[in-house]
Amino acid sequence: MQHHCVLPKSAAALLCAAYLATPGHAAGDVRVTVLGSVEFNQINPPPLGDANPGDPASLTFLLDSTNFQNNGTFPTRGYVIDASSFQLKLGTATMSLASPFPPGDVPYFVLRNNDPAVDGFFLSRDTAGPTGVPINQTGVFGPFLSQFSVTYGGATLPSLNIFDALGTYNFSGLQVFNWTVDDGPFNPLGVVFASMQITCEVSSPANYCTALVSSSGCTPQISATGQATLSNPTNLVVSGLNLEAGKNGLMFFGTTGPASQPFFGGTLCVNPGLYRMDVKPTGGVAACSGSFSYTLADYVAQPSGGPLVVPGAAIHSQIWFRDPAAAQTVGLTDGLVFAVCP
């Protein structure tokens, strides 16, 4: 099950931010990169004033594919921009989002699908239409606004799912574009759009939570190598290391988030509901020399009714193994989280 934070512009935004800050949550799994060149600039104060016609322009930021707001009236969906990742470069000028961001506002990258007969993308603080997002330099009418929107034919996007929009967009099929830096009602700086690329950000798996020290005095670990992509599901290998030798164990996982709850003398690191992999022998002879591994293909191959291992899902995993000499005869690793890309 995928989570999304519905943000009606108020205290709910703070609750959503708290959710995204939860240890083990994988955020920022989609990157948007827009390229072009400065067309004109009537801004004098630096750093924006340092941009000259012909200078390269770029706009880049990260999105969490599970953190979005659907519009109740229009066929649009706004994905919340990770403010720390937002970067607008115009020649030598590098701008970020206004900080603090205006209270009650949320920076969105919005998809429009068949609205009413066109598809497209825009920056906004409102999922209904492009309003731009304030950046960290002030003009005559308040913070300058970074505006960007592109409109394509109605067959460009199949849905409002950001993973259905992965790819490169340029002048092919383009109907209208607008890329400016605005000062109130005026457009003192203009940029010529060249291309936009939307990619899945393959992030490194991250450990969290606390392992239970085994009866042999070793700290069991869960680790991963490779990338979590459904196009090559055997590339990601998730392993249990430093396990008790000559015992059986298994990995369990879930898609509803991390946990930190007492569990058989240790800590449960995966939020229910949980799904189990097949039991495997740990092997090994010496103390704490046991180990076994699974791949992303093993996650995908779970019986029907298991979790949706789909692009954008944040997978939380932990390994359990037998430890007969322990107080509750159980061993537990720490937790591991990774996001899935197509």
Side-chain angles (χ1 to χ4, degrees):
M1 160 176 154
Q2 285 190 331
H3 290 278
H4 66 276
C5 296
V6 178
L7 299 173
K9 277 192 171 183
S10 63
L14 298 177
L15 294 175
C16 186
Y19 164 73
L20 294 175
T22 303
H25 180 75
D29 55 350
V30 175
R31 180 178 295 276
V32 177
T33 303
V34 186
L35 301 176
S37 58
V38 176
E39 181 179 19
F40 62 86
N41 188 8
Q42 300 168 350
I43 300 172
N44 292 319
L48 284 175
D50 295 332
N52 298 305
D55 282 349
S58 65
L59 172 65
T60 183
F61 48 84
L62 294 173
L63 310 170
D64 179 347
S65 62
T66 64
N67 185 11
F68 59 81
Q69 169 70 41
N70 288 326
N71 188 277
T73 304
F74 302 102
T76 57
R77 174 180 292 179
Y79 289 88
V80 179
I81 295 171
D82 175 6
S84 65
S85 69
F86 185 96
Q87 190 173 79
L88 173 65
K89 288 187 175 182
L90 303 165
T92 59
T94 300
M95 311 302 298
S96 58
L97 286 179
S99 182
F101 206 73
D105 281 349
V106 176
Y108 291 113
F109 179 67
V110 184
L111 275 63
R112 53 191 298 212
N113 179 35
N114 202 25
D115 176 27
V118 297
D119 295 346
F121 310 86
F122 57 86
L123 289 180
S124 189
R125 289 154 291 149
D126 184 342
T127 59
T131 63
V133 291
I135 56 177
N136 63 333
Q137 184 172 338
T138 301
V140 175
F141 293 91
F144 284 107
L145 296 177
S146 176
Q147 294 273 12
F148 173 75
S149 63
V150 285
T151 300
Y152 289 88
T156 303
L157 297 177
S159 76
L160 292 174
N161 186 328
I162 190 69
F163 286 106
D164 287 338
L166 297 182
T168 300
Y169 301 83
N170 47 38
F171 277 89
S172 178
L174 181 67
Q175 297 184 357
V176 180
F177 81 82
N178 176 62
W179 190 357
T180 58
V181 174
D182 292 359
D183 188 0
F186 301 103
N187 315 121
L189 190 152
V191 182
V192 178
F193 168 72
S195 67
M196 177 177 67
Q197 189 173 35
I198 303 176
T199 58
C200 186
E201 188 79 352
V202 181
S203 57
S204 298
N207 290 83
Y208 68 98
C209 199
T210 303
L212 174 63
V213 176
S214 72
S215 60
S216 298
C218 296
T219 302
Q221 300 173 1
I222 184 171
S223 66
T225 59
Q227 297 180 332
T229 59
L230 293 175
S231 60
N232 187 9
T234 59
N235 183 259
L236 181 79
V237 179
V238 180
S239 303
L241 305 173
N242 295 340
L243 312 182
E244 287 294 303
K247 304 297 185 291
N248 287 330
L250 58 84
M251 182 168 67
F252 56 89
F253 66 101
T255 59
T256 62
S260 182
Q261 302 174 9
F263 187 68
F264 284 95
T267 304
L268 178 65
C269 302
V270 181
N271 197 47
L274 305 176
Y275 299 87
R276 302 191 316 169
M277 296 289 200
D278 293 335
V279 173
K280 289 192 174 187
T282 63
V285 176
C288 304
S289 64
S291 65
F292 52 68
S293 299
Y294 301 87
T295 71
L296 184 61
D298 295 314
Y299 288 84
V300 176
Q302 289 306 296
S304 59
L308 297 177
V309 183
V310 296
I315 309 296
H316 294 79
S317 305
Q318 188 174 14
I319 285 174
W320 170 97
F321 58 93
R322 297 290 300 167
D323 188 356
Q328 297 199 40
T329 71
V330 164
L332 293 165
T333 66
D334 52 348
L336 183 82
V337 60
F338 58 86
V340 179
C341 279

